[in-house]
């Protein structure tokens, strides 16, 4: 009798196990961001006992190459994170599953229109965005006050123009004997993100709406590289890695800092760290335009569709998007209007100081070939900063490279 009971229980548990759909999810989030994603996945699993989401963390710089290889081998994850700007590169190769017949109309109607448009490729919906994350300017209140950069009320002076920023940074650096006046990494941050921000403020366009292709103004590209180069030749900035830049700013060794909103997952948690966040400065006559992109969830294409897996995957990614107020603790701005206007988001610390930046975001262009172009931009930007390439030569190389990508 006992043996029969044991067998019955084992069979029951087996049937329950068979009823659970397991989906693998690839992410590249780390630090405070990674913690939030992991916690949200745990919440989803607890609320949905019929689905088990298993997270696999891939290094940020390796995910897209690894994903391409996995798709080609016929063994990709069930869900992957993907930057919205890279969607056309994968969708154009038939590497993603169209989601039109799976995603609810409710969530589609809730999106900020521009984000929803970019989640489509050739009329099909391929990605579920859950944020937008622009480049912003951080400042160390303690250092700026020590340098005397305050108004009559004792409040820190916030630079409205690039000249003001450079002057403030130089004053603080020299008066306090600091290594730099502004800290930032030299790779993606300067080569792509700051490049797009400054180039756009000059009046340049990267994407031609008429031809639906990339477009660059050679003269404005050159001027942008001249500006980036001047940040280093002036001594205000020095070449450094992302980790070094973060360490300098967080340890009160840098008065200003370029980074994305994602570090808001970390900065407010640091003890005795007096910082502020605001939009980038602007060229006189322009607006404080800045680079931005969006994280999305996509479903990589497999040799054969599994309806149960796809349904479970869509349930997870819609749930995640609707719970973006929790994800916004990482600093990102929501893209669902219901979340963007919610008390859960607006009540988060310091969001009022930079939520307005969303008005000036210039999204990285969602166009086929951007994966190659942005990688080239990182390389060229680094060469300019290191003095291995003149701004004029850099402009020619980037413009010619973009032409090659368009023609291929």
């Amino acid at each position: 009798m006992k043996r029969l009971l044991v067998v019955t229980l084992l069979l029951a548990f087996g049937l329950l196990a068979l009823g659970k759909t397991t989906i693998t999810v690839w992410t590249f989030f780390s630090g405070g961001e990674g913690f939030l994603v992991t916690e949200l996945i745990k919440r989803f699993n607890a609320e949905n006992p019929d689905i088990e989401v298993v997270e696999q963390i891939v290094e940020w710089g390796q995910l897209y190459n690894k994903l391409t290889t996995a798709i080609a081998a016929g063994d990709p994850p069930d869900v992957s994170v993907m930057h919205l700007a890279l969607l056309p590169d994968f969708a154009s190769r038939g590497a993603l599953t169209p989601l039109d017949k799976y995603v609810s109309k409710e969530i589609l109607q809730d999106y900020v229109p521009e984000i929803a448009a970019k989640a489509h490729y050739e009329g099909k919906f391929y990605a579920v965005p859950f944020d937008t994350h622009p480049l912003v300017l951080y400042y160390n209140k303690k250092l700026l006050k020590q340098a005397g950069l305050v108004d009559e009320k004792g409040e820190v002076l916030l630079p409205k123009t690039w000249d003001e920023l450079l002057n403030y940074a130089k004053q603080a650096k020299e008066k306090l004997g600091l290594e730099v006046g502004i800290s930032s990494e030299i790779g993606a941050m300067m080569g792509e993100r700051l490049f797009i921000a400054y180039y756009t403020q000059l009046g340049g366009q990267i994407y031609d709406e008429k031809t639906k292709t990339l477009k660059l103004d050679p003269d404005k590209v050159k001027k942008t590289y001249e500006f980036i180069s001047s940040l280093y030749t002036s001594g205000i900035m020095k070449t450094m890695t992302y980790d070094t830049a973060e360490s300098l700013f967080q340890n009160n060794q840098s008065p200003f800092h370029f980074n994305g909103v994602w570090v808001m997952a970390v900065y407010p948690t640091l003890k005795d760290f007096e910082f502020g966040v605001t939009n980038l400065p602007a060229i006189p006559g322009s607006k404080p335009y800045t680079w931005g992109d969006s994280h999305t969830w996509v479903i990589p294409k497999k040799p054969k569709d599994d309806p149960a897996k796809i349904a479970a995957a869509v349930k997870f990614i819609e749930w995640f998007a609707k719970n973006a107020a929790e994800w916004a603790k990482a600093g990102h701005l929501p893209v669902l209007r219901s979340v963007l206007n919610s008390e859960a988001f607006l009540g988060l610390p310091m969001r009022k100081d930079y939520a307005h930046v969303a008005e000036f975001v210039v999204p990285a262009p969602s166009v086929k070939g951007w994966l190659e172009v942005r990688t080239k931009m990182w390389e060229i930007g680094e060469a300019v900063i290191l003095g291995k390439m003149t701004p004029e030569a850099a402009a020619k190389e980037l413009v010619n490279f973009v032409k090659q990508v368009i023609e291929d």
Side-chain angles (χ1 to χ4, degrees):
M1 186 70 179
K2 287 183 178 179
R3 184 179 178 183
L4 180 61
L5 179 60
V6 169
V7 171
T8 303
L9 287 171
L10 287 173
L11 285 172
F13 285 129
L15 288 171
L16 285 172
L18 288 172
K20 177 176 286 193
T21 302
T22 300
I23 58 172
T24 55
V25 176
W26 281 10
T27 74
F28 48 43
F29 300 109
S30 60
E33 283 188 312
F35 174 79
L36 287 170
V37 170
T38 301
E39 288 301 303
L40 280 165
I41 288 175
K42 287 180 180 177
R43 257 186 61 193
F44 175 83
N45 285 339
E47 294 176 16
N48 298 272
D50 58 324
I51 301 172
E52 181 181 14
V53 175
V54 178
E55 181 186 15
Q56 296 179 10
I57 301 173
V58 181
E59 188 177 335
W60 184 85
Q62 297 180 4
L63 185 135
Y64 296 117
N65 287 337
K66 188 172 181 180
L67 183 61
T68 298
T69 301
I71 292 171
D75 189 29
D78 299 307
V79 176
S80 177
V81 67
M82 179 172 289
H83 285 100
L84 189 57
L86 302 187
L87 186 147
D89 278 302
F90 284 82
S92 63
R93 302 198 306 263
L96 302 178
T97 300
L99 304 177
D100 305 77
K101 63 181 181 181
Y102 300 106
V103 174
S104 66
K105 291 182 180 179
E106 174 193 0
I107 197 168
L108 286 174
Q109 293 170 351
D110 197 15
Y111 272 110
V112 173
E114 187 179 45
I115 298 296
K118 288 183 176 296
H120 288 75
Y121 181 75
E122 294 187 345
K124 294 182 179 180
F125 187 72
Y126 281 97
V128 174
F130 53 93
D131 71 34
T132 185
H133 46 274
L135 175 67
V136 291
L137 177 68
Y138 294 93
Y139 54 95
N140 187 302
K141 294 181 179 180
K142 181 179 179 181
L143 293 180
L144 294 178
K145 287 178 180 178
Q146 288 177 353
L149 292 165
V150 295
D151 59 21
E152 63 277 2
K153 296 180 181 179
E155 296 295 326
V156 168
L157 292 172
L158 296 184
K160 292 182 173 58
T161 67
W162 289 102
D163 284 343
E164 284 183 349
L165 171 61
L166 301 185
N167 287 332
Y168 294 167
K170 183 179 179 181
Q171 288 180 53
K173 176 181 180 291
E174 293 177 352
K175 188 167 185 178
L176 302 178
L178 300 170
E179 184 181 354
V180 296
I182 306 172
S183 54
S184 186
E185 69 153 351
I186 65 171
M189 205 68 67
M190 302 301 292
E192 178 193 358
R193 296 162 187 168
L194 190 68
F195 177 96
I196 289 177
Y198 196 84
Y199 173 80
T200 303
Q201 290 187 20
L202 283 172
Q205 288 184 317
I206 293 179
Y207 182 72
D208 189 332
E209 286 290 346
K210 292 182 180 179
T211 62
K212 304 298 181 183
T213 58
L214 296 172
K215 173 184 178 181
L216 289 173
D217 182 317
D219 184 57
K220 290 182 174 62
V221 172
K222 179 187 172 185
K223 288 180 179 178
T224 300
Y225 281 131
E226 287 174 343
F227 170 72
I228 291 174
S229 176
S230 72
L231 296 174
Y232 293 85
T233 56
S234 67
I236 290 174
M237 297 184 73
K238 289 189 176 181
T239 59
M240 61 185 68
T241 63
Y242 184 91
D243 290 342
T244 299
E246 280 301 298
S247 178
L248 283 175
F249 186 64
Q250 292 179 28
N251 288 287
N252 299 308
Q253 295 298 310
S254 173
F256 292 102
H257 184 59
F258 294 134
N259 209 337
V261 294
W262 51 84
V263 286
M264 285 296 291
V266 178
Y267 292 173
T269 69
L270 301 177
K271 187 177 180 181
D272 300 324
F273 184 51
E274 300 176 37
F275 79 98
V277 56
T278 187
N279 54 266
L280 294 184
I283 294 173
S286 178
K287 294 180 180 179
Y289 294 118
T290 188
W291 165 93
D293 203 344
S294 294
H295 291 120
T296 76
W297 295 119
V298 297
I299 297 180
K301 189 69 176 175
K302 295 190 176 185
K304 185 178 180 181
D305 287 342
D306 183 334
K309 288 255 187 182
I310 294 176
V314 169
K315 187 174 184 179
F316 164 68
I317 59 184
E318 281 201 21
W319 180 94
F320 196 100
K322 291 175 182 177
N323 284 273
E326 187 69 20
W327 169 241
K329 290 179 181 178
H332 305 291
L333 300 176
V335 288
L336 290 180
R337 286 174 290 193
S338 59
V339 181
L340 190 59
N341 298 318
S342 68
E343 290 184 16
F345 168 69
L346 295 175
L348 293 173
M350 302 175 71
R351 293 314 185 268
K352 67 180 186 303
D353 295 333
Y354 70 92
H356 69 282
V357 174
E359 301 173 31
F360 309 112
V361 168
V362 179
S366 295
V367 61
K368 184 180 177 182
W370 183 247
L371 181 59
E372 299 172 72
V373 172
R374 75 168 194 169
T375 302
K376 190 67 174 179
M377 290 174 74
W378 301 352
E379 295 172 1
I380 295 175
E382 186 170 324
V384 170
I385 290 168
L386 295 175
K388 296 180 178 180
M389 187 178 288
T390 66
E392 184 177 11
K396 287 181 179 178
E397 182 159 341
L398 181 59
V399 170
N400 288 335
F401 185 82
V402 167
K403 286 181 180 177
Q404 291 174 13
V405 170
I406 292 173
E407 292 169 0
D408 285 348

